[in-house]
Amino acid sequence: MNKNKQKIAYKTKELKHSFTGTKLTKFAGLSPIMKFINNAQIGVELNKIFPTGKTSATKFSYVQIILSLILASLSGVHRAVRISNFTSDSLVQALLNLKKNLNKDVIGERLKLLGQKGSLLFQEYTFEKVSQWIEKSNLTAITIDCDSTVQTVYGNQEGAAKGYNPGKKGAKSYHSLLAFISQMRIVVNNRFRTGSAYTSNGILSFIEQTAAILPAKIKEVFFRADSGFFDGKLFDLLEELRWDYLIKVKLKNLNNLLLQQQWKAVSTEVSTCEFEYQSKQWSKKRNLKAIRTITGYTEKDYFGEKQKVPIYAYACYCSSLELKTEELHEKYTERSTSENWIEQVKNQLLAGRTLTNDFHANDLLWQLGVFAYNRSVIMRYKIMEKVSSGIKYWREEHNTFRDWFIDLPAKILNGGRQMKMKIYENYYFRDDWEKFEKLLLS
């Protein structure tokens, strides 16, 4: 390099900063989402269900508090103190007509006043909305994936109790039920329960409630669940409803039963068998189908000689479907996607992460998180229905959608009677953002 050649100097600029900005937002994507919510009349409907009497002491309506919690879930904000700060955002205040931010104590106090009646009213409302969404989907056959989920708590919240908790054994928790419609990925039914509840506790009334939610146009239902729901009374109910089902078997003596069966080789590594079984509590015998897969080999000593012995993985199912065992096994593994949806409900929409010391208030907070999850899915499902390219939005997890659509800084401008947002002109996802907004509100 020529030492005499002129070089580019290294220069930077130092900037001063201050926390004095106003009319700014971190959540520009909430503006079209709130328009979508208003177009669906959700605010108006909730205001009728939860009317707020005007008094000098009442600064916020119930619908403002409820919608604040839904928008906070969509934005990845939880806990009362953070939600209070979230409602300081200029856009959030404008969208919800808030004169000031919600006090952190107001949220819990007002939800506690709604009590059990409030949680039941909101549940009935969500059932009505879910039924409408299914009706509009034009589906006539659906798959329902049912599962339970544990939410560990760190305190003495009402209704929290010790029970099944694989993540933190011995800790108190809530143990909720969820049922998804796989074709739409929405939660069709949910139930907030104490942590001491067994997986299948209340499943019969839960299924009857789910059946009542489904519109008449649904002619075929396939119900799928893990071994926690292996129950003869549940099979009776599903057969009475004429729902097909596939449920994994759970028996104390299952291993001994399987060792007694005649296995038929399907391939070099896979064998199957089927046999009839009836427990004392069952109304009739049912056919169980099992699959045995070689996962490896181990060496064992037989009379001084070492021999390779296969290691087996077993799975056994009870089903109304007339399918081969290996086909049932394949169909059961498809339910693993529902575990991802549960993760989104709990850890991305943060259902159950904001808590009070009141069980019914916590029930309502859980339901609001589930409702926010459904709104996120339904928005993207509608886009997919309008344009084939919209499937990429529907396939996204909520965190991904939030990162590029909701979490977008903007400057809010007041001009005359209108409010406008100025968003960075070279935003990387600008085309996607504008396309999504147009389709969402069309």
Side-chain angles (χ1 to χ4, degrees), residues 20-28 30-31 34 68 71 83-102 408-414 419-422:
T20 54
T22 58
K23 299 297 180 183
L24 301 172
T25 184
K26 180 180 179 285
F27 309 103
L30 289 180
S31 180
M34 195 62 199
S68 292
L71 294 184
I83 294 169
S84 173
N85 180 260
F86 170 76
T87 57
S88 298
D89 185 276
S90 297
L91 177 62
V92 174
Q93 290 193 351
L95 294 175
L96 298 177
N97 195 29
L98 295 171
K99 304 302 181 187
K100 61 178 183 177
N101 65 304
L102 296 176
L408 180 59
K411 173 76 173 176
I412 298 173
L413 303 174
N414 288 318
M419 292 185 72
K420 295 182 179 180
M421 285 193 304
K422 274 200 171 182

Side-chain angles (χ1 to χ4, degrees), residues 47 51-66 68 87 93 96-107 109-110 113:
N47 201 37
T52 309
K54 279 189 177 181
T55 68
S56 58
T58 304
K59 306 297 181 185
F60 308 102
S61 68
Y62 277 113
V63 71
Q64 285 177 315
I65 294 170
I66 289 170
S68 292
T87 57
Q93 290 193 351
L96 298 177
N97 195 29
L98 295 171
K99 304 302 181 187
K100 61 178 183 177
N101 65 304
L102 296 176
N103 182 285
K104 67 180 180 66
D105 297 321
V106 166
I107 298 167
E109 288 170 0
R110 295 290 292 279
L113 287 175

